[in-house]
């Protein structure tokens, strides 16, 4: 029998892209391919691209330049391009880079095995058709040989696409129109995940809390098999084994009272919301086509805090949007200070082809935008540090993820507030990736918290054995033998 051929997917961009790569990895595994982390060992390489800012898009072109050599090294190697740049620039990529065998867009994941088979026959293909069909979510069950990169955790797509058309953003062009999956299909997927030990799910969508909104508004939810996002969250929280539910990214415009209330009522719903604000200035928000004012945004954060007083809020902010004055920028700083974000992703505005803002005049001088970014980041650093310091001395629960990048051999994970917690002591004393462990927080750092496990596995020298997490493979084996 010929040796199995190996693939690697290089992913850029948001969680949606990461999850798309997981879906494609599963499809390729079902088609007989074997995953590898090593480009050098791969016979098939897929670059899964992001076009949110110019820098992200340029990474593809740098990669494709460098990959000429990879392709030439071994005959029969296959190169594919996927994701948001593929969706927008598909035929240009195929024309410009002879090394690329196939390009597929964000709605065409299911075609990958076919495109790869065609490439094996020397055919080059482009598939970037947009569809509203839910068929694209019909994917095979997880292949048993696929390595689990995130034990205990999983992404679950609930909706895809965006109908908001913020003036700075390419996503509506790269991901198409909003479509929501059927609630029963989502619940079935979550139950299957829980069945194989997943404790934390992150619900994904470009505007995730817009789930079902068009059907609900038209009175057609029952017919379409959807419901409100809050109803979906409550449905999924009732599935046995699911200890944590997160969602990203919600849009401030789609928080209804029920979703706010759910934060106080649904125990599994994590006390963290990543709530992109973009700006604190009403003038800028309007030019961005964000349908809320700074006051409305603040009111939403207050009602979330009323429902769940310990809620941690994080956000996305853009500086240097065309026409942003110093006074506008001060309003963003004021919003950040007043809301007291625990953290934020901050970006310098990057004009994107095909967006409304790309043709706006009054560009902000890049050096000034850089200064603003630095000032904003300075404020956020002190807020993050203050939030971390305030937690020292308390206990939390961490879902272990594996070795910390900075301290190899030690475990890290995330607490319910989505903060990274690095564990003191040897990894084997704390638990295994996928376990939920109680941790006593002992130190704050700018990027993370440091904690000591309160519960530890056997052999940890006097530590009491608690098993709050999913059974480990060993335990499952032992139980099966009993
Ligand atoms: N769907 C999410 C955002 C996805 S993009 C939402 O609506 O919240 C992630 C973030 O990238 C955005 O929140 C925005 O802050 C930033 N972003 C998007 N387009 C950008 C651009 N052209 N320049 C700079 N930042 C941008
Ligand atoms: Fe982009 Fe706005 Fe849609 Fe978010 S809501 S994906 S920022 S267009
Ligand atoms: Fe990038 Fe596409 Fe996500 S543009 S941020 S990969 S939706």
């Amino acid at each position: 029998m010929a040796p199995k051929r190996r693939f690697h997917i290089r992913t850029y961009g948001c969680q949606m892209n990461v999850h798309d790569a997981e879906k494609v990895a599963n499809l390729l595994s079902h088609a007989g391919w074997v995953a590898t982390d090593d480009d050098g060992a791969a016979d098939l390489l897929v670059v899964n691209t992001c076009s949110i800012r110019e820098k992200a898009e340029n990474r593809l072109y740098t990669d494709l330049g460098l990959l000429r050599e990879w392709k030439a090294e071994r005959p029969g190697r296959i190169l594919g391009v996927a994701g948001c740049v593929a969706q927008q620039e598909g035929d240009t990529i195929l024309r410009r880079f002879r090394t690329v065998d196939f390009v597929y867009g964000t709605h065409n994941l299911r075609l990958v095995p076919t495109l790869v088979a065609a490439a094996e026959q020397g055919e080059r293909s482009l598939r970037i058709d947009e569809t509203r069909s839910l068929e694209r979510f019909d994917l095979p069950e997880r292949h048993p040989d696929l390595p689990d990169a995130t034990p205990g955790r999983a992404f679950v797509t609930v909706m895809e696409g965006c109908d908001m058309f913020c003036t700075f953003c390419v996503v509506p062009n790269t991901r198409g129109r909003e479509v929501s999956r059927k609630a029963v299909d989502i619940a079935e997927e979550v139950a299957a995940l829980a069945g194989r030990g997943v404790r934390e799910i992150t619900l994904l969508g470009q505007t995730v809390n817009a789930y079902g909104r068009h059907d609900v508004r038209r009175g057609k939810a029952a017919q379409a098999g959807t419901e409100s996002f809050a109803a979906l969250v409550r449905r999924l929280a009732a599935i046995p084994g699911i200890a944590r539910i997160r969602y990203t990214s919600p849009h401030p415009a789609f928080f209804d009272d029920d979703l706010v209330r759910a934060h106080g009522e649904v125990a599994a719903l994590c006390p963290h919301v990543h709530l992109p604000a973009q700006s604190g200035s009403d003038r800028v928000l309007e030019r961005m086509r964000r349908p809320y004012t700074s006051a409305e945004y603040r009111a939403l954060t207050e009602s979330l805090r009323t429902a769940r007083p310990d809620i941690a809020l994080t956000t996305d902010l853009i500086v240097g949007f065309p026409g942003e004055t110093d006074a506008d920028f001060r309003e963003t700083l004021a919003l950040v200070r007043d809301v007291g974000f625990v953290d934020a992703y901050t970006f310098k505005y990057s004009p994107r082809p095909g967006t409304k803002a790309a043709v706006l005049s009054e560009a902000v001088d890049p050096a000034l935008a850089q200064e603003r970014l630095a000032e904003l980041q300075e404020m956020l650093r002190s807020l993050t540090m203050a939030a971390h310091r305030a937690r020292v001395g308390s206990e939390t629960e961490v879902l272990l993820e594996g070795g910390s990048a900075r301290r190899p051999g030690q475990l890290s994970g995330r607490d319910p507030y989505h903060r990274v917690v690095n564990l003191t002591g040897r990894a084997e004393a704390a638990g295994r990736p996928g376990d939920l462990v109680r941790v006593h927080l002992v130190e704050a750092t700018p990027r993370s918290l440091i904690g000591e496990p309160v519960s530890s596995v056997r052999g940890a020298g006097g530590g009491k054995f608690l098993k709050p997490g999913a059974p480990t493979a060993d335990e499952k084996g032992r139980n099966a033998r009993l």
Side-chain angles (χ1 to χ4, degrees):
M1 205 173 79
K4 285 205 168 182
R5 306 242 291 156
R6 283 177 281 195
F7 73 92
H8 176 64
I9 305 178
R10 201 184 273 185
T11 288
Y12 300 111
C14 62
Q15 287 97 330
M16 191 68 91
N17 243 21
V18 172
H19 192 36
D20 283 354
E22 292 172 346
K23 291 174 183 173
V24 168
N26 191 35
L27 287 162
L28 287 169
S29 302
H30 281 280
W33 288 79
V34 176
T36 173
D37 283 341
D38 176 12
D39 289 354
D43 304 292
L44 162 65
L45 188 72
V46 178
V47 186
N48 195 18
T49 62
C50 171
S51 59
I52 199 79
R53 283 166 292 276
E54 194 184 358
K55 245 197 208 158
E57 177 166 353
N58 284 343
R59 222 170 266 169
L60 168 68
Y61 301 114
T62 315
D63 277 16
L64 288 181
L66 296 169
L67 284 168
R68 282 200 181 102
E69 213 172 294
W70 175 87
K71 185 90 193 255
E73 261 169 24
R74 204 192 298 160
R77 273 184 162 165
I78 301 171
L79 180 58
V81 177
C84 289
V85 183
Q87 186 66 47
Q88 271 200 305
E89 306 289 336
D91 53 341
T92 315
I93 296 169
L94 218 50
R95 265 189 281 117
R96 222 177 109 190
F97 295 91
R98 297 298 310 169
T99 44
V100 173
D101 296 290
F102 63 88
V103 175
Y104 66 91
T106 54
H107 293 183
N108 300 280
L109 312 189
R110 295 200 317 164
L111 297 174
V112 174
T114 318
L115 302 180
V116 172
E120 284 178 314
Q121 302 305 315
E123 239 178 79
R124 302 179 79 214
S125 18
L126 170 70
R127 293 306 295 270
I128 50 170
D129 337 81
E130 277 192 38
T131 163
R132 284 188 174 218
S133 155
L134 292 177
E135 262 178 30
R136 68 177 123 135
F137 300 111
D138 290 342
L139 295 160
E141 290 212 345
R142 189 189 162 77
H143 192 280
D145 295 345
L146 197 60
D148 188 355
T150 60
R153 295 173 294 140
F155 289 129
V156 177
T157 306
V158 305
M159 62 80 70
E160 233 177 54
C162 180
D163 293 353
M164 297 307 287
F165 290 92
C166 302
T167 56
F168 53 81
C169 184
V170 288
V171 172
N173 302 335
T174 66
R175 294 279 170 174
R177 300 289 62 72
E178 282 177 25
V179 287
S180 294
R181 293 175 68 195
K182 287 188 172 32
V184 288
D185 292 350
I186 299 168
E188 196 180 303
E189 182 176 334
V190 171
L193 290 168
R196 63 172 181 82
V198 166
R199 312 299 312 276
E200 176 183 300
I201 51 167
T202 302
L203 308 181
L204 291 183
Q206 267 76 36
T207 48
V208 67
N209 56 338
Y211 174 80
R213 67 168 175 136
H214 292 314
D215 303 325
V216 170
R217 186 172 40 85
R218 291 190 205 115
K220 296 212 163 132
Q223 204 178 323
T226 61
E227 57 201 7
S228 72
F229 183 67
L232 180 72
V233 166
R234 290 177 195 275
R235 176 195 289 263
L236 302 178
I239 294 173
I242 296 302
R244 288 181 172 184
I245 299 180
R246 304 185 184 281
Y247 57 92
T248 197
S249 284
H251 191 292
F254 305 129
F255 273 85
D256 56 13
D257 292 346
D258 196 17
L259 182 54
V260 171
R261 261 200 319 274
H263 274 280
E265 293 170 0
V266 178
L269 193 54
C270 285
H272 165 234
V273 180
H274 182 72
L275 188 59
Q278 313 303 356
S279 169
S281 151
D282 289 348
R283 219 177 56 87
V284 174
L285 286 169
E286 199 180 335
R287 285 163 67 98
M288 288 177 162
R289 214 164 172 267
R290 297 289 288 187
Y292 50 85
T293 61
S294 173
E296 284 164 346
Y297 183 93
R298 284 164 205 249
L300 172 59
T301 64
E302 277 157 25
S303 47
L304 283 164
R305 284 228 160 89
T306 307
R308 181 78 205 228
D310 61 341
I311 205 157
L313 297 170
T314 57
T315 194
D316 289 348
L317 297 159
I318 296 177
V319 300
F321 187 76
E324 183 189 66
T325 63
D326 201 50
D328 293 322
F329 173 62
R330 302 280 140 214
E331 289 185 42
T332 297
L333 291 177
L335 178 78
V336 169
R337 192 191 52 228
D338 295 349
V339 172
F341 293 110
V342 175
D343 213 339
Y345 292 111
T346 51
F347 308 103
K348 244 188 311 180
Y349 168 71
S350 164
R352 304 309 293 131
T355 61
K356 284 229 165 100
V359 294
L360 287 180
S361 52
E362 301 178 73
V364 171
D365 173 49
L368 181 59
Q370 186 57 46
E371 267 174 41
R372 289 179 183 165
L373 187 69
E375 192 174 345
L376 180 59
Q377 288 177 340
E378 183 57 40
M379 177 181 275
L380 282 157
R381 261 195 297 276
S382 64
L383 284 172
T384 302
M385 198 58 201
H388 285 179
R389 281 209 187 101
R391 304 267 318 276
V392 171
S394 68
E395 267 191 25
T396 191
E397 194 174 56
V398 175
L399 182 62
L400 298 181
E401 287 182 12
S404 128
R406 293 195 180 177
R407 301 161 186 241
Q410 294 194 349
L411 282 176
S412 72
R414 294 213 182 231
D415 72 3
Y417 307 96
H418 209 233
R419 298 283 87 201
V420 171
V421 180
N422 292 312
L423 266 54
T424 57
R426 294 190 338 274
E428 59 272 25
R432 296 168 203 213
D435 285 350
L436 274 168
V437 294
R438 297 279 323 155
V439 165
H440 180 236
L441 298 172
V442 293
E443 200 184 322
T445 80
R447 290 188 170 273
S448 61
L449 286 150
I450 299 177
E452 285 168 355
V454 176
S455 55
S456 55
V457 293
R458 264 167 291 194
K464 199 170 142 222
F465 178 58
L466 280 176
K467 191 169 69 63
T472 60
D474 274 7
E475 285 157 3
K476 275 188 201 145
R478 200 167 44 239
N479 290 340
R481 279 197 300 275
L482 286 175

